[in-house]
Amino acid sequence: MPEPLRFPAWGLLGMAVVVAPALAQVRAVTEKEYSADIFKKNHIYGNIKQEVNVYVKIFTNSPFLVCMDLALSQEEVIDPNYLWIGPDGKKLEGQIYVNLTETGKLMVIGFKESMSGAYTCTLSHKIIETDTWDEREMFEAYKFMVYAYREPDYAYKISVRFTTKKCKLVANDQFFEELKKILDNVISDLACQVIDPSYKCHSVKRPKHSLLHELFVTFQVNPFAPGWEEVCNQLPYDCEDATNTRVQEARDRIEDFFNKQAYVLKHDFQTLPTIHYVDHSFEVTRIDSCRPGFGKNDITHNDCASCCVVCDPGTYSPNNEVTCRTCVSTQIKQYGAKSC
């Protein structure tokens, strides 16, 4: 076991900080299945009345899209024939990036942004009248709108409070600078960083207490510290899951750090230091962002409202915002545009 990280006692904090390092563990991500037409795992059935939305995590294989509806799949189908057409209007049979079975099931391999769009299948089959043996050919058309998606990238906005003697105290600035260094050290091995740190001092009056002065400290924990790309390049898959796991670990370490402050103040100090942590003041909010070319839209994609879904043709996203912008100057025809 590695030795815990030990930070020396610092005058204003009045305590030694002990943080046990923990390796970021990649947690298994449970994939959601977004269609009510799923009959069994990894199979999505068509609907002749409406198109079926399907969301495929980028770089994974799609579920099997079944060229018939659920009711028809429970019946006998005579001489079935299946014609699958991809988003580019070309036949999918024989394409190297699809797995097309003889029973009309389609799987798209290694899904990318550019593979998004309408996948349509026409099923032809015969109905034989048992009394006359007359044959009728039937046609059903099924449309699947298939979209690439990513999990959002997580960051965490954290706020804490510290009691101080006065607001206009030089030691407040010194304390804040030292606190930033300690927090950076707590998460430095996770390729995460503390960004946008700031503080303000306010006077606070609570019931049955005299007037207090408190430092309101805020900062963000971000998973994109220098070197994070090198960590991602060592992985054989998309990095977002590992990135989110790292920043969640960083968030947990920082919460544990402040919990230790409260514990030490209660058990190890008879006289409180001039500047000390306010117990239970730790607050955290998760902030989602999407990679360029992706955005959130809980109206258009309400089956995948928490996902970063590939931007539709006519829209684009050049940065890590959570919305796709509409392009008015030129017409974008592809999915996942990063510029207009």
Side-chain angles (χ1 to χ4, degrees):
M1 293 288 293
E3 286 294 319
L5 299 177
R6 296 185 178 273
F7 299 95
W10 187 64
L12 292 175
L13 281 176
M15 65 193 76
V17 181
V18 181
V19 179
L23 296 176
Q25 297 177 351
V26 178
R27 302 181 180 92
V29 176
T30 302
E31 292 295 327
K32 295 181 180 177
E33 295 174 327
Y34 295 102
S35 174
D37 298 300
I38 290 179
F39 174 61
K40 60 183 180 178
K41 187 177 181 182
N42 210 36
H43 285 66
I44 297 181
Y45 288 78
N47 188 326
I48 59 174
K49 296 180 181 179
Q50 62 185 28
E51 61 189 33
V52 177
N53 288 344
V54 182
Y55 299 90
V56 183
K57 192 168 185 178
I58 192 166
F59 304 133
T60 67
N61 299 338
S62 77
F64 274 110
L65 310 181
V66 184
C67 189
M68 62 178 61
D69 57 51
L70 186 56
L72 186 59
S73 71
Q74 306 303 302
E75 300 176 3
E76 181 181 70
V77 182
I78 300 174
D79 292 339
N81 187 51
Y82 313 93
L83 176 61
W84 278 99
I85 302 296
D88 58 1
K90 297 180 180 179
K91 294 181 181 180
L92 291 174
E93 186 176 5
Q95 300 289 348
I96 61 173
Y97 59 88
V98 300
N99 176 8
L100 188 55
T101 73
E102 64 178 7
T103 56
K105 299 174 183 177
L106 172 71
M107 174 184 284
V108 186
I109 309 300
F111 208 84
K112 302 180 179 67
E113 298 101 313
S114 59
M115 295 177 175
S116 299
Y119 288 75
T120 59
C121 179
T122 301
L123 165 65
S124 64
H125 62 98
K126 293 177 181 177
I127 294 180
I128 301 177
E129 302 293 344
T130 56
D131 53 348
T132 63
W133 295 104
D134 288 339
E135 298 181 4
R136 288 186 297 126
E137 191 161 21
M138 302 292 293
F139 295 89
E140 276 95 21
Y142 301 97
K143 183 177 182 180
F144 299 86
M145 290 301 301
V146 188
Y147 301 94
Y149 81 91
R150 292 178 182 267
E151 298 292 345
D153 289 315
Y154 301 158
Y156 292 94
K157 183 176 182 179
I158 294 175
S159 63
V160 290
R161 295 191 195 184
F162 289 84
T163 294
T164 185
K165 189 174 182 179
K166 295 179 181 179
C167 278
K168 294 183 178 180
L169 196 67
V170 175
N172 292 341
D173 288 337
Q174 297 172 342
F175 161 80
F176 181 64
E177 292 302 316
E178 191 67 22
L179 178 64
K180 289 191 294 184
K181 295 177 184 177
I182 292 174
L183 293 176
D184 279 332
N185 283 331
V186 167
I187 62 175
S188 61
D189 63 312
L190 296 175
C192 295
Q193 62 183 348
V194 172
I195 64 170
D196 301 329
S198 65
Y199 84 91
K200 291 183 179 180
C201 188
H202 297 281
S203 300
V204 179
K205 176 65 177 72
R206 295 192 180 92
K208 300 180 181 180
H209 286 79
S210 60
L211 191 68
L212 299 174
H213 303 286
E214 293 186 358
L215 307 179
F216 288 60
V217 177
T218 62
F219 56 91
Q220 284 190 31
V221 182
N222 183 290
F224 302 115
W228 76 271
E229 285 141 325
E230 286 76 6
V231 175
C232 283
N233 290 337
Q234 299 171 15
L235 301 173
Y237 53 87
D238 192 35
C239 190
E240 62 195 13
D241 290 339
T243 300
N244 285 342
T245 299
R246 287 191 292 102
V247 77
Q248 286 171 329
E249 172 67 22
R251 172 233 181 269
D252 291 344
R253 286 193 194 180
I254 289 176
E255 182 176 16
D256 186 57
F257 164 78
F258 286 111
N259 287 338
K260 284 184 169 66
Q261 308 303 295
Y263 180 87
V264 171
L265 286 168
K266 285 181 180 179
H267 295 85
D268 293 0
F269 281 85
Q270 294 181 346
T271 302
L272 292 176
T274 302
I275 301 177
H276 62 270
Y277 174 66
V278 176
D279 195 11
H280 303 301
S281 68
F282 182 89
E283 294 184 0
V284 60
T285 303
R286 198 182 85 186
I287 302 172
D288 291 353
S289 61
C290 295
R291 302 285 173 97
F294 291 78
K296 286 188 176 186
N297 190 324
D298 57 1
I299 297 175
T300 304
H301 302 294
N302 58 356
D303 287 339
C304 200
S306 64
C307 305
C308 292
V309 180
V310 64
C311 293
D312 288 318
T315 66
Y316 70 104
S317 179
N319 51 32
N320 293 92
E321 295 178 354
V322 294
T323 56
C324 295
R325 307 177 187 179
T326 300
C327 185
V328 294
S329 59
T330 57
Q331 187 175 5
I332 300 174
K333 296 182 180 180
Q334 78 271 20
Y335 284 86
K338 299 176 178 63
S339 62
C340 181

